[in-house]
């Protein structure tokens, strides 16, 4: 076997869980072979460069072997070799995610605690008869 369809190779190399997912990603122009946008029927051979996107991760690999069937992960990793630039880009993205703050931590959800409720009531009572803090101190809104 010297050539194999790209969708089947991506599935066998465990980049995508199913062949249909691989074909969908190829259909969305997220896979390039040797710099050209690939179709699902495009055949790859050893030595071809495949650039693909998995979520937010952009990967570039060189095809080292072909397999028509999906095997265990250690065998699948022998089908390709990731380029040094791709590994460096993944490390930089990983570091960026590690240093970035978690957006969900800034969201306060649920009911306020007893202490938070008291502070809210105290803040509201400090406004007096006003319902908004945007009014002037003398009560005139111009």
């Amino acid at each position: 076997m010297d050539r194999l369809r790209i969708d089947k190779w991506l599935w066998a190399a465990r980049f995508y869980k199913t062949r249909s997912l691989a074909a969908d990603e190829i259909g969305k122009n997220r896979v390039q072979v040797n710099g050209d946008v690939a179709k699902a029927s495009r055949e790859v051979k050893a030595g071809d460069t495949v650039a693909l996107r998995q979520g937010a991760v952009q990967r570039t690999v060189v095809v080292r072997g072909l397999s028509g069937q999906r095997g265990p992960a250690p065998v699948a990793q022998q089908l390709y070799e990731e380029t040094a630039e791709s590994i460096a880009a993944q490390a930089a993205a990983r570091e960026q995610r590690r240093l970035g703050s978690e957006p969900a931590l800034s969201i306060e959800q649920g009911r306020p605690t007893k202490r938070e409720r008291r502070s809210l009531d105290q803040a509201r009572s400090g406004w007096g008869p006003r319902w908004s803090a945007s009014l002037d101190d003398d009560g005139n809104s111009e």
Side-chain angles (χ1 to χ4, degrees):
M1 175 186 311
D2 58 339
R3 293 183 173 268
L4 186 67
R5 289 173 54 110
I6 184 69
D7 61 342
K8 197 166 188 177
W9 183 83
L10 288 171
W11 168 75
R14 293 183 165 258
F15 286 107
Y16 299 106
K17 197 169 186 172
T18 63
R19 273 184 72 184
S20 62
L21 284 176
D24 289 344
E25 292 297 308
I26 293 167
K28 294 176 185 175
N29 296 334
R30 294 182 179 164
V31 177
Q32 292 94 25
V33 177
N34 295 329
D36 297 329
V37 175
K39 292 185 179 180
S41 61
R42 169 81 186 252
E43 292 185 338
V44 293
K45 61 185 182 314
D48 283 348
T49 303
V50 177
L52 60 115
R53 197 170 85 199
Q54 290 179 307
V57 178
Q58 182 73 28
R59 298 179 78 176
T60 306
V61 297
V62 177
V63 177
R64 292 291 173 215
L66 301 174
S67 175
Q69 71 184 75
R70 188 174 171 107
V75 174
Q77 289 174 349
Q78 294 175 355
L79 297 178
Y80 63 91
E81 178 182 340
E82 195 153 2
T83 62
E85 296 85 19
S86 178
I87 293 171
Q90 283 184 28
R94 193 176 308 117
E95 184 68 17
Q96 185 67 27
R97 282 192 307 271
R98 188 182 72 79
L99 293 176
S101 65
E102 174 63 34
L105 294 178
S106 65
I107 299 173
E108 294 182 18
Q109 294 182 353
R111 296 172 55 179
T113 63
K114 193 172 193 177
R115 175 180 285 171
E116 293 169 344
R117 186 72 199 166
R118 286 181 178 163
S119 67
L120 285 172
D121 288 342
Q122 185 179 12
R124 286 192 186 130
S125 66
W127 290 345
R130 299 184 303 180
W131 61 272
S132 173
S134 64
L135 295 174
D136 294 335
D137 286 336
D138 60 357
N140 296 335
S141 61
E142 296 178 299

